[in-house]
Amino acid sequence: MRLFAAVLPPASAVGELARAVDRLRNLPGADSLRWTGRDGWHFTLAFMGEVDDVLLPELHERLGRAAHRTAAFPLRLHRGGRFGRRALWAGAAGGLEEMRLLAERADAAARRAGVGMEEHRRYHPHLTIARSRDDADLRPYVEELDTFEGTPWEVTEVALVRSNLPVSGVLGEQPRYETVGSWPLERAS
């Protein structure tokens, strides 16, 4: 299975971002971007890639421990940015240090469960909203997102998500995401 650990925003936050993205899709050149599906919007904590089924019980146990050791924290969708000229994203604000800690713990849980993880990089919380196959000027979209402020919510769980890559060959087909496990974070006192 192709897996990643993630924070999934609630429907209310997705709705707020969807309204902002609808405005972005009306900007000149927006039809040349590949917009991600709203049902797949998430903050990846640790990308694991292909994981052998035999590792799943240990991975589940270790992710559960990582979640239990992490207190629930506030988060909101906030502004946006880009990675080079190919990826447009929405950012986050609020409990960013807590989210970085959760990402570190999810990464460590996967490694300890025997998952071959990529080289470790500093965590940068983002939710990808569009990609470009070629270099694109994403600055107008980032400028439009500059005033975007979502309503805060409390992150209360970590999810293990399966990514089902497109297989039909249909142009524009999106990956499908399926939550295969979730664990509650420790309640803040």
Side-chain angles (χ1 to χ4, degrees), residues 34-185:
R34 292 178 297 141
W35 297 90
T36 58
R38 295 171 183 168
D39 58 340
W41 283 349
H42 60 270
F43 288 96
T44 300
L45 297 170
F47 180 75
M48 299 167 204
E50 291 295 330
V51 176
D52 193 312
D53 289 351
V54 73
L55 299 177
L56 291 179
E58 181 77 8
L59 178 60
H60 281 236
E61 182 179 323
R62 290 186 178 277
L63 282 173
R65 279 192 234 151
H68 182 71
R69 290 189 351 248
T70 307
F73 57 92
L75 197 68
R76 72 181 185 278
L77 291 163
H78 171 74
R79 302 180 69 180
R82 61 188 170 97
F83 292 128
R85 297 175 61 89
R86 301 252 175 141
L88 177 67
W89 47 263
L96 297 183
E97 285 308 311
E98 293 90 340
M99 193 140 112
R100 283 188 185 97
L101 177 61
L102 184 57
E104 294 279 335
R105 288 177 173 163
D107 183 271
R111 289 177 192 282
R112 289 183 181 123
V115 177
M117 301 290 287
E118 292 181 2
E119 181 180 325
H120 183 71
R121 294 181 224 158
R122 177 152 169 78
Y123 182 69
H124 184 274
H126 68 281
L127 183 154
T128 302
I129 54 178
R131 291 184 179 85
S132 176
R133 290 189 194 279
D134 303 308
D135 284 350
D137 184 4
L138 300 174
R139 290 176 300 178
Y141 304 96
V142 174
E143 289 169 10
E144 186 71 25
L145 285 170
D146 200 44
T147 59
F148 177 71
E149 280 293 332
T151 304
W153 80 90
E154 186 174 46
V155 175
T156 59
E157 69 178 21
V158 62
L160 182 62
V161 180
R162 179 179 183 173
S163 175
N164 298 297
L165 297 177
V167 293
S168 72
V170 173
L171 186 63
E173 184 182 11
Q174 302 270 338
R176 288 179 300 103
Y177 299 108
E178 169 190 2
T179 301
V180 295
S182 63
W183 298 269
L185 301 184

